[in-house]
Amino acid sequence: MMKLRAVHRILGVLILILFSSSCASDLDYNQVYDIKLEPVFIANLAYFDIPADEFVTGGMEHTVITDAPTVDVFNDKFFRDNLKRVDLFFEVNNTINRGYRIDLVFLDRNNQPVHSTNFTVLAYTGVENIVTKTEVFENATLDLLKRTTKITFTLTMFAGPPLNENSTGSLKLRSGVTAYFVVE
């Protein structure tokens, strides 16, 4: 019994020493100001699927089609202040037996061009016909992108076999944006 009490006392003293000599250091709450977050966001930008017969009205081909969707995201202060890079990805699948040129013009709030790019899509010949393009915006080109409020898409059809209301195939575009941020 005596030995058991001695063991309890020794254990009690050891526990007391252990708790009274625990490590502690001063906390530096200013470290919160050193946080640097680098989130990446991926989203859809634009999509269209134009059947071949939509290039024909009343037996007449339309060789140029234009659309100008609004891109309002850069008006947000968070985007303007923290955006460091943007990759725009475009993929076009053409199953129409005509080639196309796709022009993209980035417009500011006064409808003035700030950037442009284009790419060519060859006519469909029976094999998969996918064209991709990536535009990277950093530094000076990123500043131009931040001024963008609209992107004009202009499709220009090249010469080739005539299209009519019964023509098959389509021109499909899908595009996405990958935005890289640095938040400090």
Side-chain angles (χ1 to χ4, degrees):
M1 193 72 139
M2 191 80 127
K3 287 185 182 183
L4 190 56
R5 282 188 197 165
V7 170
H8 283 249
R9 278 191 197 149
I10 292 173
L11 281 176
V13 170
L14 285 175
I15 290 172
L16 183 62
I17 291 173
L18 186 67
F19 282 120
S20 62
S21 66
S22 64
C23 297
S25 63
D26 293 335
L27 296 177
D28 181 7
Y29 291 105
N30 289 325
Q31 288 178 347
V32 76
Y33 299 113
D34 297 334
I35 286 179
K36 181 178 179 181
L37 304 174
E38 297 185 26
V40 176
F41 294 100
I42 299 171
N44 293 326
L45 179 63
Y47 174 84
F48 61 72
D49 183 358
I50 305 171
D53 62 355
E54 285 190 22
F55 287 96
V56 179
T57 304
M60 300 293 296
E61 286 185 350
H62 301 284
T63 57
V64 178
I65 295 177
T66 301
D67 189 20
T70 300
V71 181
D72 227 5
V73 68
F74 301 113
N75 289 328
D76 186 89
K77 183 175 174 20
F78 176 81
F79 277 83
R80 285 191 320 271
D81 293 347
N82 300 298
L83 191 60
K84 297 303 175 198
R85 176 181 160 174
V86 172
D87 297 348
L88 298 181
F89 173 77
F90 301 93
E91 178 183 277
V92 179
N93 185 4
N94 183 14
T95 57
I96 301 173
N97 64 352
R98 297 286 287 273
Y100 293 87
R101 176 180 156 142
I102 300 176
D103 293 293
L104 302 160
V105 179
F106 299 73
L107 304 172
D108 66 12
R109 71 182 75 245
N110 299 315
N111 288 322
Q112 296 300 308
V114 295
H115 179 77
S116 65
T117 189
N118 65 63
F119 51 102
T120 301
V121 181
L122 299 176
Y124 180 67
T125 59
V127 295
E128 186 172 67
N129 189 16
I130 295 177
V131 175
T132 62
K133 180 175 181 83
T134 301
E135 284 281 310
V136 176
F137 295 87
E138 292 181 284
N139 303 319
T141 58
L142 181 61
D143 291 337
L144 295 175
L145 182 65
K146 287 178 180 180
R147 292 176 35 207
T148 300
T149 59
K150 286 185 206 171
I151 301 175
T152 301
F153 289 81
T154 303
L155 307 174
T156 305
M157 184 170 37
F158 297 144
L163 297 179
N164 60 48
E165 286 86 1
N166 298 317
S167 294
T168 60
S170 67
L171 186 66
K172 294 178 186 176
L173 175 131
R174 70 180 186 97
S175 61
V177 59
T178 304
Y180 301 86
F181 294 87
V182 175
V183 181
E184 297 184 70

